Every structure is written in structure tokens, then in C-alpha cells.
Amino acid sequence: MNTNGTLIEALGIEILSASSEKVEAKMPVDERTRQPFGLLHGGASVALAETVASIGGLHCVDPEREVCVGLEINANHIRGKKDGIVKAIGTPLHKGRTTVVWEVKIFDEDEKLICVSRCTLAVIQKRSS
């Protein structure tokens, strides 16, 4: 997957592993991902969570015929973070014919929970060009 010029690249997200059962990624907490008060921006956490869920969703469908796109996401921001790295771990809750639902938990280096998210993806047919 080419992430050049995408939000994934802009936020410094790195995919560590990906399958239909688990996706792991990390993201720096730095000037790209902080809000003006110096804490990890909630939107950056949500972007990380949706990235993890979307990559997991792609592993649950036939990539020749289908893609997954975000339908709904929610997040609970549990703890603030000023610097370092956060790691996201996503696992599927539901793998259906028309929707895929992933839970994504984001942790700091000490494995303290920073954010928990649930993302519903729509499975859509690829359009022929």
C-alpha cells in the first residue's frame, strides 16, 4: 500500500503488522499530532484508529472486488499524552457481508490506555474504470 502523500504519512503513522484478525500501528506524539495545549490531539487519535480499522477491514474482503470505507467512528479519550509514541491495536468485532466493525485501543509506552475507539466500515463494490 502506497501511503505517500496521505494522512498516514503526514501524521507519521507506521503499520507494524496487519491481518484480518489484528492490526498494530504506532504514531509519534509530536508537533504533527499535538493540539495547541501540547497534548495528543483527539483527532490524531481518531485518524490512527480509523487507519488501523480500515487496514484491518481490507484484509477481511476480496480486494479484487471490494473496498472498505469508514461509515462511523467513535472514540473515548481516556488519558492525555504530551510526547513519545502511541501504539494502536485493532481487532475485529464483526466481519459481515456489508459491514465490518473494529475495536481499536491506543496505548502509551507503559501500556496505559490513552483512547478506545470503535469503527464501522462499509464494504462496497469496486467501481470499474
Side-chain angles (χ1 to χ4, degrees), residues 78-79 105-108 111-116:
I78 308 298
R79 168 180 276 110
K105 293 181 178 178
I106 300 174
F107 301 93
D108 68 9
E111 297 187 21
K112 291 182 181 173
L113 187 63
I114 301 294
C115 178
V116 63

Side-chain angles (χ1 to χ4, degrees), residues 41-110:
H41 195 294
S45 294
V46 170
L48 174 60
E50 187 161 345
T51 297
V52 165
S54 294
I55 289 170
L58 288 175
H59 282 82
C60 297
V61 299
D62 177 357
E64 296 293 319
R65 300 178 319 122
E66 301 166 318
V67 295
C68 287
V69 296
L71 187 62
E72 190 273 341
I73 189 165
N74 66 53
N76 292 98
H77 306 290
I78 308 298
R79 168 180 276 110
K81 178 118 175 93
K82 291 185 176 188
D83 54 25
I85 299 286
V86 290
K87 182 177 180 181
I89 300 173
T91 55
L93 298 174
H94 167 73
K95 295 189 280 186
R97 189 176 49 79
T98 59
T99 61
V100 179
V101 180
W102 280 69
E103 177 182 67
V104 181
K105 293 181 178 178
I106 300 174
F107 301 93
D108 68 9
E109 298 93 338
D110 297 322

Side-chain angles (χ1 to χ4, degrees), residues 17-32:
S17 65
S19 74
S20 63
E21 296 303 317
K22 185 177 183 182
V23 176
E24 295 185 51
K26 66 180 182 176
M27 180 179 72
V29 180
D30 61 17
E31 67 282 351
R32 297 170 290 181

